[in-house]
Amino acid sequence: MNGAESLVTTLIDQGVDICFANPGTSEMHFLSALENPRMKSVLCLYEGVCTGAADGWYRMKDKPASTLLHLGPGLANGLSNIHNAKRASSAMVNIVGEHSASHLKYDPPLTSDIEGLARPLSHWVRRAESSTSIAWDTVTAVAKASEHPGQIATLILPGDTAWKDAGQAITPAPTTPVRKAPDGARIDAIAQVLRSGEPALIILANKGTRGRALELAGQVAAGTGCRLGTQFFTARIERGAGRVPLERIPYAVAQGAAFLQGFKHLITVETKEPVAFFSYPDKPSLLKAPGTIVHELCAADEDSTIAFEMLVDALGLGATAPILQQRFETAPPSGALNPQSIAYALAAALPDHAILVDESLTTGRETMGYTMGARPHDLINNMGGSIGYGTPVATGAALACPDRRTVCMVGDGSAMYTIQSLWTQAREGLPVTTIIFANNQYAILKAEYANMGAGTPGPQAMAMIDIDRPTIDWVAMAKSMGVPGVQVDSAEGLYQAMVRSAQEPGPSLIEVKLY
Amino acid sequence: MNGAESLVTTLIDQGVDICFANPGTSEMHFLSALENPRMKSVLCLYEGVCTGAADGWYRMKDKPASTLLHLGPGLANGLSNIHNAKRASSAMVNIVGEHSASHLKYDPPLTSDIEGLARPLSHWVRRAESSTSIAWDTVTAVAKASEHPGQIATLILPGDTAWKDAGQAITPAPTTPVRKAPDGARIDAIAQVLRSGEPALIILANKGTRGRALELAGQVAAGTGCRLGTQFFTARIERGAGRVPLERIPYAVAQGAAFLQGFKHLITVETKEPVAFFSYPDKPSLLKAPGTIVHELCAADEDSTIAFEMLVDALGLGATAPILQQRFETAPPSGALNPQSIAYALAAALPDHAILVDESLTTGRETMGYTMGARPHDLINNMGGSIGYGTPVATGAALACPDRRTVCMVGDGSAMYTIQSLWTQAREGLPVTTIIFANNQYAILKAEYANMGAGTPGPQAMAMIDIDRPTIDWVAMAKSMGVPGVQVDSAEGLYQAMVRSAQEPGPSLIEVKLY
């Protein structure tokens, strides 16, 4: 086999069996190697879709996907969603094509410093130097990516490394990531804090917001009276009826600080203390009140299930049942579209075990509370703050969970960033409902303009915030890429369109007309 | 004034009076400063459009535009077209928003190593440390960008630098770039080569392919019998009837080498000797024949007009008239669409002094010869090889030259990369005709698959090359962003649509159905 075949075979043997690809000339041997029937290849028409889809895949599978990117610029196009994935602790193995070493020295047009571009947003970068050793590079890349928290591994593949002979395949067993336990003394100290009865908030993140860790957290809350919360953005939360409910720290600095004011103790799980998203003149960066004490129950690289098992033991709460969210039946709303009626439509229409990818910004930001008692679902947020994450992540999540409905709520400004996702959704027949909140503006910036103390936007500034000239026709946009679309201008219209979309097998788009 | 106002005022005073922007929260003060009536602000719905448009602006104006990008990920989204601009020697001043230093230390979600991301593709990077010194940072950025060849300057703007008081405006005069002359002895040596009568090809690039430099090159060719050529890709060529004609070195390695085989001497002007675009197993990287001698008439940082003036003097050709391209009247073609009939339609329909942005790849690659005798026009190529350059560059070129028609020929695969350009073209009412060559595949990769010796693509590999499931509806795509579109399936249809588009004031899109 050649180097490319060795690479692809090793990826599969290490458990990486999907590749989100946008190939170029230098990756033709890799493309040929993708012919392997154990590897699923998914073509994306822009690299930001590849890397965002890999993020979505990881969030639902807890194992890395691979991407195939064409030299430095192909990697560059994927970087902003790599940033978002990195901030979400999503693992990913990026394969970046490159000129052969013998050709590089002539500095042909597509040459760039690929390592330089990769390093700021990768945890691990390596250039595969030979076809005979690339299998070991690949084993290392997958092992590195699969650490907890998930890592970004980037492997650079020169053309001659891909096409030269690699000898026999090697098949080491995939490494099992280490589960790191927190220090027992730390657990005991936190148990004492919780027993004190002083107001405490446990802030859960990453793997802590689902499965057994979440249930155990629910036992702690039921037994001690502490409250359970999350940062405003979380990689993935299992929520809705039957799940342990988590409170969300508000986004805006004043509201976030007000929410935290009553707590004497903040106890962090796989996250840090709450920080403002942006800096503003005369506003604090840290949201906690003066005098509040921050305790780390579980560091980012520790296992929150183990941490909560230790804490439940220390507190003697093994027999305590967690308080679970009741199902709240929401009547389908009618009338005008507004954040509340939209939230009700969502709560009523969300199918069982839906995956809800939220990039709705201003429209959806403060209304997620209404879906707390909806049917059980997974909620996915943008962790890195770079817009254009939603539709790619929905694409990857839907590939990971083809039997569930993925609902992607996205603002119009954000949707335009990586709208090419729709094409991949159509090609793969994915069960994704994309809901575009079309308010014809970067609405968030209007609020932020005032928050920043920049005064009232003049006409020139407003023209950089409004995206209403021309109005984007989202139904035509969807049609252009083979996705059926519909425009709705009422709450009942949105509800009905959502219900219909969940009954159809493939993707669809709903334009929520807010202007 | 505050730091942002100081920055914008200084940009304008230094001659940078357009900003391609996609702002975020941290840039609200900059947005407010853009209110300045001497600055033209252009909103782009993706950063790759901003940076590509800045490239197009420079190609037609020979002066830098500015961009406004939102932190590291916003810069990342613009990097691939910065790569293309860098390879085209296009100057650009990127303003990248950033958190205030006091906030950065908390590592909020949008934090990344902006310098690290900027450096691989920038010639100059600086973080503006205070609002009182940012004017000088800006003067330096514009001076650096305006060097010859044009440079990429990236200035990082922390929030507090933008909003703090900057004191009084400073107004140093813009620096005039130095015009560097080549060494006289080198000119004399090349004159001797040209007098020898041995077969010689002068390969012109960058500023050498237009204006006075091109005319002088024509005098040299007329007087010595040498031939004049260009690399396959050139930043901007003034060509068509009445211009000094230049031969194009073919793209494919075998054809490129065959073209060069007859020359004893290659004489380079603002470029290097021809190199294959990619490396292939068993194909050379350098295209020249063994024994061919390469002479540098004018280095990349030297002035080709001065170089040719010196050469014409040395050869005593001051009174020799250049041979100019005759006008070749092309009859409007009819019948089936194929590369030749498309080229004829283009040649017949191209309006006087059109700007032709070519990203047509397989469809247009070998047919540009047919437009040699068309009405005079400027031809712009992709210098960096990262696809998705065409529609943004056309947007910037049209803003630079609103009285001319810009025709953007683009393959469907490439067009999908930065299709958001259409929206900016509609908003600004730009005279751009976008011609989409819709063959429903990355056709270039089918040829490259064989060139690479990767055999015949299997079904999985083919699925990564064909983009026909679903078929992209380009007329719907154009409509979604407010651009009128039409599909044509015959040569006369293409010709007529081109003629009609040139008669309408704003943008339009023509889908050339090749499947």
Side-chain angles (χ1 to χ4, degrees):
Chain A
M1 58 173 58
N2 64 25
E5 288 159 343
S6 173
L7 167 51
V8 170
T9 303
T10 310
L11 279 176
I12 298 165
D13 289 342
Q14 300 297 306
V16 178
D17 52 9
I18 192 164
C19 183
F20 296 100
N22 190 281
T25 295
S26 39
E27 294 88 52
M28 290 297 101
H29 291 87
F30 187 93
L31 212 57
S32 174
L34 283 182
E35 209 63 41
N36 193 316
R38 293 157 62 212
M39 178 66 88
K40 165 87 175 163
S41 302
V42 179
L43 179 62
C44 304
L45 299 189
Y46 189 68
E47 290 88 350
V49 181
C50 296
T51 53
D55 183 2
W57 174 268
Y58 180 85
R59 300 231 201 166
M60 298 313 298
K61 285 275 195 185
D62 286 322
K63 67 175 193 170
S66 62
T67 67
L68 177 64
L69 311 171
H70 184 47
L71 291 95
L75 170 63
N77 288 336
L79 281 176
S80 59
N81 272 333
I82 291 177
H83 166 84
N84 286 329
K86 187 185 181 206
R87 291 279 168 171
S89 298
S90 291
M92 187 184 303
V93 178
N94 300 303
I95 311 297
V96 183
E98 168 63 305
H99 296 303
S100 303
S102 62
H103 194 61
L104 257 188
K105 62 174 176 279
Y106 298 112
D107 193 34
L110 258 170
T111 307
S112 64
D113 174 7
I114 301 180
E115 280 92 343
L117 290 166
R119 277 208 191 92
L121 296 167
S122 302
H123 298 88
W124 180 94
V125 180
R126 184 179 291 175
R127 179 174 291 251
E129 294 291 353
S130 96
S131 50
T132 51
S133 56
I134 194 169
W136 295 105
D137 297 329
T138 309
V139 169
T140 310
V142 177
K144 182 68 192 170
S146 306
E147 286 178 6
H148 171 69
Q151 310 274 299
I152 308 295
T154 301
L155 181 59
I156 302 167
L157 176 63
D160 54 351
T161 301
W163 70 59
K164 282 184 182 163
D165 185 55
Q168 289 301 306
I170 58 140
T171 51
T175 50
T176 307
V178 177
R179 295 182 66 192
K180 194 173 157 191
D183 180 61
R186 208 201 304 153
I187 300 290
D188 291 340
I190 290 172
Q192 203 162 337
V193 165
L194 290 170
R195 272 197 219 96
S196 74
E198 291 182 339
L201 176 70
I202 303 181
I203 304 173
L204 298 96
N206 202 12
K207 313 289 188 207
T209 53
R210 48 196 169 99
R212 175 121 180 90
L214 180 57
E215 275 180 33
L216 290 162
Q219 290 179 260
V220 170
T224 68
C226 76
R227 281 160 67 186
L228 301 177
T230 64
Q231 306 278 6
F232 189 77
F233 296 113
T234 302
R236 176 180 158 201
I237 304 179
E238 288 177 353
R239 73 196 287 274
R243 264 78 182 263
V244 172
L246 302 172
E247 299 177 68
R248 192 178 193 185
I249 300 171
Y251 178 86
V253 175
Q255 287 91 313
F259 177 87
L260 294 178
Q261 201 162 24
F263 296 104
K264 175 81 179 162
H265 302 279
L266 301 180
I267 300 169
T268 61
V269 177
E270 299 193 44
T271 187
K272 298 175 303 175
E273 70 166 288
V275 172
F277 208 86
F278 287 105
S279 50
Y280 304 85
D282 310 319
K283 286 184 187 165
S285 287
L286 297 178
L287 302 185
K288 69 170 183 287
T292 300
I293 306 165
V294 180
H295 311 266
E296 185 172 65
L297 173 64
C298 179
D301 66 341
E302 292 170 344
D303 189 303
S304 50
T305 299
I306 297 178
F308 275 116
E309 282 169 348
M310 292 166 72
L311 186 61
V312 165
D313 269 0
L315 289 165
L317 295 173
T320 305
I323 298 165
L324 300 181
Q325 174 67 46
Q326 297 287 308
R327 172 83 172 106
F328 183 76
E329 294 278 353
T330 312
S334 62
L337 287 163
N338 55 51
Q340 186 174 320
S341 68
I342 289 169
Y344 281 136
L346 190 68
L350 209 59
D352 208 35
H353 289 96
I355 300 164
L356 185 57
V357 178
D358 185 14
E359 195 176 19
S360 60
L361 302 181
T362 42
T363 305
R365 182 163 277 183
E366 304 302 342
T367 57
M368 284 307 293
Y370 294 105
T371 57
M372 192 65 95
R375 296 177 192 88
H377 60 279
D378 286 74
L379 173 65
I380 287 176
N381 288 144
N382 184 358
M383 301 302 289
S386 178
I387 62 174
Y389 108 103
T391 63
V393 165
T395 304
L399 276 156
C401 302
D403 297 332
R404 298 166 66 174
R405 172 66 39 177
T406 296
V407 176
C408 179
M409 307 198 300
V410 56
D412 45 7
S414 297
M416 279 302 286
Y417 262 54
T418 44
I419 194 63
Q420 302 92 338
S421 308
L422 295 180
W423 184 88
T424 298
Q425 291 173 13
R427 164 173 274 206
E428 301 289 337
L430 300 179
V432 180
T433 303
T434 301
I435 304 176
I436 306 277
F437 294 113
N439 58 13
N440 277 332
Q441 52 187 291
Y442 292 116
I444 190 170
L445 295 185
K446 293 199 177 166
E448 292 292 57
Y449 203 93
N451 287 340
M452 274 288 173
T456 307
Q460 179 90 311
M462 280 297 267
M464 299 298 103
I465 295 177
D466 281 327
I467 59 174
D468 61 338
R469 289 172 294 116
T471 296
I472 296 164
D473 178 341
W474 288 100
V475 175
M477 178 68 82
K479 176 173 185 282
S480 76
M481 287 180 269
V483 171
V486 62
Q487 189 191 62
V488 300
D489 57 7
S490 68
E492 62 270 30
L494 171 57
Y495 169 77
Q496 286 154 10
M498 282 192 69
V499 170
R500 266 196 310 272
S501 81
Q503 289 160 351
E504 302 284 327
S508 60
L509 180 142
I510 303 168
E511 176 184 347
V512 178
K513 191 181 172 195
L514 296 172
Y515 55 93
Chain B
M1 58 173 59
N2 64 25
E5 288 159 343
S6 172
L7 167 51
V8 170
T9 304
T10 310
L11 279 176
I12 298 165
D13 288 343
Q14 300 296 307
V16 178
D17 52 9
I18 191 164
C19 183
F20 297 99
N22 189 281
T25 294
S26 39
E27 293 89 51
M28 291 298 101
H29 292 87
F30 187 94
L31 211 57
S32 174
L34 283 181
E35 209 63 41
N36 194 315
R38 294 156 63 211
M39 178 66 88
K40 164 86 175 163
S41 302
V42 179
L43 179 61
C44 304
L45 299 190
Y46 189 68
E47 289 88 349
V49 180
C50 297
T51 54
D55 184 3
W57 173 267
Y58 180 85
R59 300 230 202 168
M60 298 313 298
K61 285 276 195 186
D62 287 321
K63 68 174 192 172
S66 62
T67 67
L68 176 63
L69 312 171
H70 183 47
L71 292 95
L75 169 63
N77 288 335
L79 281 175
S80 59
N81 273 334
I82 291 176
H83 166 83
N84 287 328
K86 186 185 183 206
R87 291 280 167 170
S89 298
S90 292
M92 186 184 303
V93 178
N94 301 303
I95 311 297
V96 183
E98 169 63 305
H99 296 303
S100 303
S102 63
H103 194 60
L104 256 187
K105 63 173 175 280
Y106 298 112
D107 192 35
L110 258 170
T111 307
S112 63
D113 174 5
I114 301 181
E115 280 91 342
L117 290 166
R119 275 206 193 95
L121 296 167
S122 301
H123 298 89
W124 180 93
V125 180
R126 185 178 291 177
R127 179 175 292 252
E129 295 292 354
S130 96
S131 50
T132 52
S133 56
I134 194 169
W136 296 105
D137 297 329
T138 308
V139 168
T140 310
V142 177
K144 182 66 192 172
S146 306
E147 286 179 5
H148 171 69
Q151 310 274 300
I152 308 295
T154 300
L155 181 59
I156 301 167
L157 176 63
D160 53 352
T161 302
W163 71 57
K164 283 184 181 162
D165 186 53
Q168 289 301 306
I170 59 140
T171 51
T175 50
T176 308
V178 177
R179 294 183 64 194
K180 192 172 158 192
D183 181 60
R186 207 200 306 154
I187 300 289
D188 291 341
I190 290 172
Q192 203 162 338
V193 166
L194 290 170
R195 272 197 219 97
S196 74
E198 291 180 341
L201 176 70
I202 303 181
I203 304 172
L204 297 97
N206 202 10
K207 313 288 189 208
T209 52
R210 50 195 168 99
R212 175 122 179 89
L214 180 57
E215 276 180 32
L216 290 162
Q219 289 178 262
V220 171
T224 68
C226 76
R227 281 160 67 184
L228 301 177
T230 63
Q231 307 278 9
F232 189 77
F233 296 113
T234 302
R236 177 179 157 202
I237 304 178
E238 287 177 353
R239 72 196 288 274
R243 264 79 181 262
V244 173
L246 302 172
E247 300 177 67
R248 191 179 195 185
I249 301 172
Y251 179 86
V253 175
Q255 286 91 314
F259 178 87
L260 294 177
Q261 199 163 26
F263 297 103
K264 176 76 178 166
H265 303 278
L266 301 180
I267 299 169
T268 60
V269 177
E270 298 193 44
T271 186
K272 299 174 301 176
E273 71 166 291
V275 172
F277 208 87
F278 287 105
S279 50
Y280 303 85
D282 310 319
K283 285 184 187 168
S285 287
L286 297 178
L287 301 185
K288 69 170 184 285
T292 300
I293 306 164
V294 180
H295 311 266
E296 185 172 66
L297 174 63
C298 178
D301 66 342
E302 292 171 344
D303 189 302
S304 50
T305 300
I306 297 176
F308 274 117
E309 283 169 348
M310 291 167 73
L311 185 60
V312 164
D313 269 1
L315 290 164
L317 294 173
T320 305
I323 298 165
L324 300 180
Q325 174 67 45
Q326 298 287 307
R327 171 83 172 106
F328 183 75
E329 295 277 354
T330 311
S334 62
L337 287 163
N338 54 52
Q340 187 174 320
S341 68
I342 289 169
Y344 281 135
L346 189 68
L350 209 59
D352 209 35
H353 289 96
I355 301 165
L356 185 57
V357 178
D358 185 15
E359 195 177 17
S360 60
L361 302 182
T362 41
T363 306
R365 180 164 277 183
E366 304 302 342
T367 57
M368 285 307 294
Y370 295 105
T371 57
M372 191 65 94
R375 297 177 192 88
H377 61 278
D378 286 72
L379 173 65
I380 287 177
N381 288 143
N382 184 357
M383 301 302 289
S386 178
I387 63 174
Y389 106 104
T391 63
V393 165
T395 304
L399 276 156
C401 303
D403 298 332
R404 299 167 67 174
R405 171 68 36 179
T406 296
V407 176
C408 179
M409 307 198 301
V410 57
D412 45 7
S414 297
M416 280 302 287
Y417 263 54
T418 44
I419 194 63
Q420 302 92 339
S421 308
L422 295 180
W423 184 86
T424 298
Q425 292 174 11
R427 164 173 274 204
E428 300 290 337
L430 300 179
V432 180
T433 304
T434 300
I435 304 176
I436 306 277
F437 294 113
N439 58 15
N440 276 334
Q441 51 186 294
Y442 292 115
I444 191 170
L445 294 185
K446 294 202 175 162
E448 292 293 57
Y449 203 93
N451 288 338
M452 274 288 174
T456 307
Q460 179 90 310
M462 280 297 267
M464 298 298 103
I465 295 177
D466 282 327
I467 59 172
D468 61 338
R469 289 172 294 118
T471 297
I472 297 165
D473 178 340
W474 287 99
V475 175
M477 177 69 80
K479 176 174 185 281
S480 76
M481 287 179 270
V483 170
V486 62
Q487 188 191 62
V488 300
D489 56 7
S490 68
E492 62 270 27
L494 172 57
Y495 169 77
Q496 288 154 7
M498 282 192 70
V499 169
R500 268 197 308 272
S501 81
Q503 289 160 350
E504 304 283 327
S508 60
L509 179 142
I510 303 168
E511 175 183 347
V512 178
K513 190 182 172 195
L514 296 172
Y515 54 93

